[in-house]
Amino acid sequence: MWAMEQYYTIGEIARVMHTDETSVRLLISNGILKAERCGTGYLVEVDEFARFGFLSADKRPNRR
């Protein structure tokens, strides 16, 4: 079974996790939130949000 990754900016991750961008940066830099740098954002496995009590990233804002 392949894990699905989606592209997020730091701001989008913060909104999904109901926290601030500084906290997201700390989670990523300490390896707590597994995210791979990709351009100006990050690829995050959607299952990662479940580890923090968020079952999905459905609250992700639509891109304009």
Side-chain angles (χ1 to χ4, degrees):
M1 182 172 167
W2 294 95
M4 186 173 151
E5 292 182 331
Q6 288 189 357
Y7 179 84
Y8 296 91
T9 64
I10 290 289
E12 289 171 336
I13 296 171
R15 280 190 292 278
V16 168
M17 296 182 71
H18 306 285
T19 190
D20 57 66
E21 292 184 16
T22 302
S23 297
V24 171
R25 288 186 198 328
L26 286 171
L27 289 170
I28 292 171
S29 66
N30 289 321
I32 297 168
L33 174 65
K34 293 172 181 54
E36 182 181 334
R37 184 80 176 167
C38 181
T40 59
Y42 291 86
L43 287 175
V44 181
E45 289 185 18
V46 293
D47 293 343
E48 278 296 297
F49 294 113
R51 292 180 49 224
F52 295 93
F54 302 100
L55 298 178
S56 70
D58 291 339
K59 296 178 183 169
R60 180 178 178 209
N62 293 330
R63 293 207 178 265
R64 296 174 204 239

